Amino acid sequence: MTELLDFLNKNSGALTVIFTAVVTVATAVYAALTWVLVKETRMMREVQTEPKLQVTVSSFDFAINIVRLYVRNVGLGPALNVTFKPKVLAGGQSAEKLLAEFTNVNFFTVGLKHFGPAQERVSAYTQLTEDHDGKMASVLAIDVTYSSATGKRYWDSLVVDMSELKGGYQLGKPHAYAIAQSLEKLQKDIHHLTTGFHRIKANIYTSADREEERAEAQNRREQYQREL
C-alpha cells in the first residue's frame, strides 16, 4: 500500500494529464453524438413537413390501350405554389403530340396553389392504338417547382418513359368494371319493361279457363263410369 501511494505521489502530474485527456475525449465524443442526434431530429421534423411530387403513367382499368399521367404528392407535407414545365427528351414529333395530349388540362398551365399529401391530379388521356410505335418511343419530362409549409423551395425533373409500358397486357375485365356493366344492363332492361318498350311474354290463365277445365274433367269421369 505504501509503495502504491509513493507511486501516485511521484507521478501525480502525469496521471492528472492522462485523466484530463480522457475527460476531454469523452466530452468531445458526447458533443459529437449530441450534434448527430440534433441533426437527425431536425431531418425527421423536416420530413414530416416535406412534400414530394411524383408523376407516373398508367392505363384505365377497362382499357389498357388508354393511358394518362397521374401526378401525386407522396410526401407528408403540402406542396405550395406548384409550377409545371413539360418538355420532350426523346421521340420527335410523336413525343411532341403525345405531350400536347397529356397536358391538355389547365393545371399544367396555371399550376397548383395547394397540393396536399396523398392528393392526386390526372392529365388528359391518349390512345396508344394511334401511332403506337412513336408514342412508345417517347420520353417526356416535367420540371416541377414548389415550396413546403416551412418555405423551403424544391425543384425536380420528373421523367416519363413510355417504353416502360411495353409488354403489358390485361386478362379479362376488372371485377368492378364487370359489375358496373351488369348493373347498367339490368337498369336498361328494367327501364324497357316499365316504359313498355319491351313487354313480358306471359300466358294468362283465368278463372273461366279453370271452370272449363273442371267441367271437361267431370264429363270424362262420367263417361268412363257409364262405359263400366
Side-chain angles (χ1 to χ4, degrees):
M1 187 66 179
T2 303
E3 294 178 355
L4 178 61
L5 292 175
D6 291 340
F7 175 79
L8 293 176
N9 290 330
K10 291 179 181 179
N11 300 281
S12 60
L15 293 174
T16 300
V17 172
I18 294 173
F19 179 76
T20 303
V22 171
V23 172
T24 302
V25 171
T27 303
V29 171
Y30 178 76
L33 292 176
T34 303
W35 179 82
V36 171
L37 181 61
V38 171
K39 183 180 179 181
E40 289 183 352
T41 303
R42 187 184 298 114
M43 290 176 62
M44 290 180 61
R45 185 176 298 175
E46 183 179 347
V47 167
Q48 291 176 350
T49 60
E50 181 183 25
K52 182 64 175 177
L53 297 194
Q54 176 190 73
V55 175
T56 58
V57 58
S58 184
S59 63
F60 284 81
D61 290 338
F62 57 87
I64 196 172
N65 62 299
I66 304 177
V67 299
R68 60 183 176 181
L69 300 180
Y70 292 79
V71 183
R72 300 181 180 91
N73 181 3
V74 296
L76 298 179
L80 308 177
N81 300 319
V82 185
T83 62
F84 302 92
K85 291 184 178 179
K87 61 184 180 182
V88 172
L89 298 182
Q93 293 184 352
S94 295
E96 294 284 354
K97 182 179 178 181
L98 178 63
L99 184 64
E101 291 180 350
F102 278 148
T103 57
N104 191 25
V105 284
N106 203 40
F107 76 86
F108 278 111
T109 303
V110 301
L112 298 171
K113 297 299 182 184
H114 184 277
F115 197 32
Q119 263 194 301
E120 178 181 88
R121 290 296 184 95
V122 294
S123 71
Y125 66 87
T126 186
Q127 293 268 8
L128 292 182
T129 53
E130 301 174 0
D131 189 20
H132 177 269
D133 293 339
K135 289 180 179 179
M136 296 302 284
S138 301
V139 181
L140 313 177
I142 300 177
D143 294 338
V144 292
T145 58
Y146 51 95
S147 300
S148 66
T150 59
K152 185 176 180 180
R153 195 69 178 164
Y154 294 88
W155 176 91
D156 201 357
S157 184
L158 309 175
V159 178
V160 178
D161 188 348
M162 296 296 293
S163 66
E164 295 175 356
L165 299 177
K166 287 183 178 180
Y169 62 92
Q170 183 177 25
L171 293 176
K173 295 181 180 179
H175 295 306
Y177 179 66
I179 292 172
Q181 279 191 317
S182 298
L183 290 175
E184 183 179 1
K185 185 176 182 301
L186 180 61
Q187 182 183 18
K188 288 181 179 179
D189 292 340
I190 294 175
H191 176 72
H192 290 162
L193 291 175
T194 55
T195 57
F197 186 77
H198 288 163
R199 297 184 180 275
I200 298 176
K201 295 181 180 180
N203 294 323
I204 301 175
Y205 195 69
T206 65
S207 58
D209 295 330
R210 286 192 291 273
E211 289 296 332
E212 182 180 354
E213 205 173 69
R214 270 195 224 102
E216 290 179 356
Q218 181 66 24
N219 290 335
R220 285 195 297 271
R221 284 195 297 270
E222 292 176 354
Q223 183 178 0
Y224 177 73
Q225 290 173 359
R226 285 194 298 270
E227 291 176 353
L228 293 178

